[in-house]
Amino acid sequence: MSAISQHTDLEHLRAALDASCVVGTWMWDHVRGVVTYDEGAALLLTGDPELADCEICGPIALKAIHPEDMTWLMEHMLQAVQVGGLVLSEYRVFKNDGTVRWLLSRGRTYHNAAGQPARSHGILIDITEMRDGGECYILGNPPKSEKTLEHAADLGIALKQSLPVDAPPELHQAANLMLMSLGHAIAQTIKA
């Protein structure tokens, strides 16, 4: 592959990541107890892009996380690491200018042969626009009947009622957000 082709491929990858709102990558070495961020993740999670590609441990690694999200996020992360597999979490961070951004962290935890957590790798996606009601269009299957929203609301209520009290807070928040959105959508159809 030529240098020009590699450069073009890298530009296409960056454009696709930007369009997908991917703003950073992270790697957590559980054995050594350190995390490594790319520049975007370092800026968003520590407030300091100079920490990119450095091995970081301790409070500085999560310095920019909103204080109200820190406790449940740490509990969720530690539990997810023990279980292994896919790791998902939504939380807020403070940017250097004081604005709050919502991030979705998506990654995977890998265990060693003894079943102990070895490492986790993942990406950060800025979901602030989605959470703040920004423009979006979601493709899906066409509605099957006029009662599709009501059916979805019934399923949403059943989902919310089936969540255990000790389920991670982000699951309760997601269920509430979904039900509020469905209620708004149903109200719009009644007005029409």
Side-chain angles (χ1 to χ4, degrees):
M1 183 180 286
S2 73
I4 293 172
S5 178
Q6 287 177 336
H7 180 71
T8 302
D9 288 347
L10 186 56
E11 286 178 358
H12 286 129
L13 177 59
R14 283 189 182 133
L17 292 174
D18 287 344
S20 301
C21 299
V22 174
V23 291
T25 62
W26 53 268
M27 194 282 297
W28 185 2
D29 182 331
H30 302 292
V31 176
R32 296 180 39 238
V34 297
V35 295
T36 307
Y37 301 135
D38 72 354
E39 188 174 343
L43 175 64
L44 288 166
L45 297 176
T46 71
D48 185 357
E50 304 258 334
L51 292 174
D53 301 319
C54 297
E55 292 183 341
I56 308 168
C57 61
I60 194 161
L62 302 172
K63 180 181 169 188
I65 293 180
H66 195 290
E68 292 177 13
D69 293 346
M70 183 61 78
T71 301
W72 71 259
L73 179 62
M74 291 302 298
E75 291 171 0
H76 169 76
M77 286 171 38
L78 293 173
Q79 182 181 16
V81 164
Q82 292 305 314
V83 172
L86 183 63
V87 178
L88 284 171
S89 56
E90 286 184 21
Y91 52 90
R92 296 167 288 180
V93 294
F94 284 110
K95 290 185 66 178
N96 286 339
D97 64 4
T99 59
V100 175
R101 306 299 294 177
W102 278 93
L103 299 180
L104 171 67
S105 181
R106 185 182 196 286
R108 187 162 298 277
T109 297
Y110 300 92
H111 288 172
N112 62 21
Q116 297 298 315
R119 68 190 186 292
S120 299
H121 298 271
I123 61 172
L124 296 174
I125 302 169
D126 188 329
I127 60 170
T128 306
E129 184 178 21
M130 285 177 25
R131 293 194 59 101
D132 291 345
E135 288 186 40
C136 61
Y137 184 82
I138 301 172
L139 296 176
N141 293 331
K144 294 181 176 135
S145 74
E146 291 181 18
K147 299 293 183 187
T148 302
L149 288 175
E150 288 84 352
H151 180 68
D154 290 340
L155 292 173
I157 291 168
L159 169 71
K160 182 166 175 51
Q161 291 172 340
S162 70
L163 287 174
V165 175
D166 62 344
E170 65 270 15
L171 290 178
H172 289 284
Q173 291 170 352
N176 289 337
L177 181 62
M178 177 187 61
L179 285 171
M180 286 190 320
S181 296
L182 282 166
H184 180 73
I186 291 169
Q188 293 300 317
T189 62
I190 293 171
K191 289 179 185 177

